[in-house]
Amino acid sequence: MDETRIAIGTRIKLAVLCATVFSVFYNVNAWYASTLDYVPSFIFSFEKYMPFMAWTVVPYMTSGALFVAVFFLCNTMQELRTLTKRVLFVSVVAGLFFLIFPLKFSFIKPDSTNTLFNFIFQFIEIVDSPFNEAPSLHIAFAFVFWSVFRNFTPTWRHVSAVWLVLLGLSTLSTYQHHLLDVVTGAILGQLSFIIFPAQRNNFQVRNFHLANYYFLGGWLIVLLSLLVFEFYHASGFILLWPALVLFLMGYTYQKNKVHFLKNNLGTIPWYKKIVYFPYIGVYWLFWKFLRKNKKPIMLIPNLYISSRLDHSEFQNFKGNRNTLVYDLSAELEENKAIIQNCQYHAVPLLDIGAFDTIEIKRIVLEITTHYKELPKDGKILIHCTMGFTRSTFIGILVIKNILSLPLEEALLKIKTTHKDAVIHGYLQDFLKTINI
């Protein structure tokens, strides 16, 4: 089948399949919950302040229409298959939770002064269930819808983003769901992206896969924060700080923002140190206690790779004004001794993420040129944070270019010289695509 042309019958069949699975799980579980003598509710104490906004029933009701429309908005068969898997996954997993942990909504809806809105709410009472609360399918489906809508043109992408946010908020403001349902719905939607990625083996979209893990971690910590607040202490809200940082990191990976922390001088502005303190702190601990190659490894004469060096390690390296340092680390500030005593170059790359081919070629060619022009006491140091992946990757390309080696020989030389080298399969595949 032509990937760019999908038969209308195929779209209809998959839409009907997903609608059927959703309907069966939803209605059977709603019936089961209605037969129970007692179905609990889960409400955070501050939710009583949630305002009822009748007009938001409009975006709330569009979820059903979007559920159908999204199958006709996919551009390729691969996108349609992925959408189908995610919708089925969300429907089945949510259905199992509805069965095992039934919950019901407990707030009483005020009457609206608007006749149309009252009519819609009466319709909801007939077709919707007060049970089947957590995780919210409205939220989980909104996440899945966005995976298709984000491919729209900029104007429509922004419009759809705003509408989906309104749809999500409407689950609370129409008194259809509690906050627990919303957060768990977001977790479920995020899980669907991780379990069913759009393009599993495409290096160019690797950052999106990594971003999903950061987003999932953010939602899990939001849930933990709320639970700590409710059952232990108000200090639980401090956990929203690392949650925010995880969301920011997810966005950073999506946009491949390599300069999200450090500037070209290798330093991190004070305000970023405050905002990203949980992230920087964790990376510093990894660097302090988990790195192995604390001594630079010489690949060829006067060319070294390493982790980020501390002050004493740099002194032992004996860098000078003719030492060129290429800092690939995006997470930690550069050692001040290196900035002050060497020719420093900030070329940050995101850890275990996708690399921009043009930028990689530029870095490798620049290092190669400088290497050939080194004075007698000159040397080049390429380092990242831990020294396992990014510096190894660039090191392979540099010695391949300098020595005119086939890729296999360059890889062998690195593995022989650097016993802790980490060359993931996806990086080896990417290396084969780079011609310098």
Side-chain angles (χ1 to χ4, degrees):
M1 176 181 292
D2 185 350
E3 285 289 312
T4 61
R5 299 185 64 181
I6 309 171
I8 191 70
T10 300
R11 295 179 188 271
I12 293 173
K13 289 177 183 178
L14 293 179
V16 170
L17 170 64
C18 290
T20 301
V21 171
F22 157 73
S23 181
V24 168
F25 272 85
Y26 188 88
N27 289 301
V28 168
N29 285 315
W31 168 82
Y32 168 73
S34 68
T35 66
L36 299 177
D37 294 331
Y38 173 71
V39 177
S41 298
F42 189 101
I43 311 167
F44 292 105
S45 55
F46 56 84
E47 286 191 68
K48 62 185 178 182
Y49 301 108
M50 176 63 64
F52 176 78
M53 294 182 285
W55 67 267
T56 58
V57 74
V58 175
Y60 181 85
M61 286 296 292
T62 60
S63 181
L66 295 178
F67 184 101
V68 175
V70 72
F71 287 90
F72 298 88
L73 296 172
C74 293
N75 293 320
T76 67
M77 192 63 203
Q78 182 182 43
E79 187 179 18
L80 182 59
R81 291 193 192 103
T82 302
L83 170 70
T84 302
K85 292 175 183 177
R86 289 171 175 173
V87 171
L88 291 174
F89 171 78
V90 163
S91 300
V92 172
V93 172
L96 292 175
F97 271 89
F98 298 157
L99 178 66
I100 300 171
F101 306 106
L103 294 172
K104 69 178 180 180
F105 189 81
S106 59
F107 290 173
I108 298 175
K109 291 185 181 66
D111 289 330
S112 171
T113 57
N114 185 290
T115 304
L116 175 61
F117 295 157
N118 273 331
F119 174 78
I120 296 175
F121 280 114
Q122 291 171 8
F123 176 76
I124 290 176
E125 288 184 12
I126 296 173
V127 302
D128 207 354
S129 166
F131 310 110
N132 296 349
E133 291 291 297
S136 165
L137 279 172
H138 262 70
I139 299 296
F141 284 148
F143 273 67
V144 175
F145 298 160
W146 174 244
S147 68
V148 175
F149 296 168
R150 67 178 305 277
N151 296 320
F152 290 171
T153 59
T155 299
W156 284 109
R157 182 168 65 247
H158 295 150
V159 169
S160 61
V162 170
W163 192 258
L164 288 177
V165 169
L166 286 175
L167 191 158
L169 293 175
S170 72
T171 60
L172 298 172
S173 59
T174 57
Y175 283 13
Q176 289 294 124
H177 282 281
H178 292 300
L179 186 57
L180 175 72
D181 317 337
V182 172
V183 177
T184 52
I187 291 171
L188 179 57
Q190 207 65 62
L191 273 173
S192 74
F193 298 157
I194 292 173
I195 295 174
F196 301 105
Q199 301 178 54
R200 189 178 297 274
N201 298 316
N202 186 341
F203 178 76
Q204 298 304 322
V205 297
R206 177 173 175 80
N207 279 12
F208 285 90
H209 303 330
L210 295 172
N212 285 328
Y213 284 96
Y214 278 107
F215 289 140
L216 175 62
W219 286 114
L220 288 171
I221 293 182
V222 167
L223 178 59
L224 176 62
S225 172
L226 293 172
L227 293 174
V228 171
F229 166 81
E230 187 67 25
F231 296 108
Y232 179 65
H233 194 269
S235 60
F237 275 147
I238 194 66
L239 291 173
L240 294 178
W241 182 10
L244 171 63
V245 173
L246 286 171
F247 290 135
L248 289 173
M249 288 308 305
Y251 177 79
T252 293
Y253 270 82
Q254 277 192 342
K255 301 299 183 180
N256 196 32
K257 296 171 69 68
V258 295
H259 290 284
F260 74 103
L261 277 181
K262 290 164 63 170
N263 55 33
N264 290 329
L265 299 177
T267 59
I268 302 175
W270 65 268
Y271 62 92
K272 289 187 177 181
K273 289 181 181 179
I274 295 174
V275 173
Y276 286 91
F277 177 78
Y279 178 80
I280 296 172
V282 168
Y283 249 100
W284 185 88
L285 291 172
F286 285 166
W287 170 79
K288 186 69 176 177
F289 298 107
L290 299 180
R291 64 193 175 106
K292 297 177 182 178
N293 59 317
K294 299 181 180 181
K295 180 180 179 181
I297 299 168
M298 187 171 70
L299 302 181
I300 55 178
N302 300 321
L303 178 66
Y304 300 81
I305 62 173
S306 76
S307 61
R308 176 184 180 274
L309 303 179
D310 64 20
H311 187 72
S312 63
E313 291 160 359
F314 173 68
Q315 286 185 323
N316 293 332
F317 180 64
K318 298 180 180 179
N320 55 46
R321 294 308 304 173
N322 288 324
T323 299
L324 285 78
V325 176
Y326 281 83
D327 177 11
L328 308 177
S329 168
E331 306 83 22
L332 299 178
E333 279 191 321
E334 181 57 286
N335 185 326
K336 291 183 179 179
I338 287 179
I339 297 174
Q340 294 168 357
N341 296 290
C342 301
Q343 297 179 44
Y344 175 73
H345 300 267
V347 284
L349 302 173
L350 296 180
D351 196 12
I352 67 173
F355 303 140
D356 178 78
T357 303
I358 295 175
E359 178 64 6
I360 293 299
K361 289 182 178 181
R362 186 196 68 79
I363 294 171
V364 172
L365 288 173
E366 183 177 313
I367 295 174
T368 301
T369 300
H370 285 311
Y371 181 81
K372 294 177 180 179
E373 299 172 350
L374 281 177
K376 288 184 179 180
D377 63 341
K379 48 189 172 182
I380 295 177
L381 172 66
I382 305 168
H383 82 80
C384 50
T385 305
M386 305 296 289
F388 301 147
T389 305
R390 288 166 287 185
S391 58
T392 300
F393 174 79
I394 296 297
I396 292 169
L397 290 173
V398 170
I399 64 170
K400 174 180 179 291
N401 199 37
I402 291 174
L403 302 179
S404 299
L405 295 176
L407 177 60
E408 293 73 18
E409 290 187 26
L411 286 167
L412 180 61
K413 185 171 182 61
I414 284 284
K415 292 176 181 178
T416 303
T417 308
H418 183 8
K419 63 182 179 64
D420 294 318
V422 177
I423 312 170
H424 299 286
Y426 72 88
L427 283 178
Q428 293 190 42
D429 292 338
F430 183 54
L431 281 167
K432 295 174 183 178
T433 68
I434 299 179
N435 297 314
I436 302 178

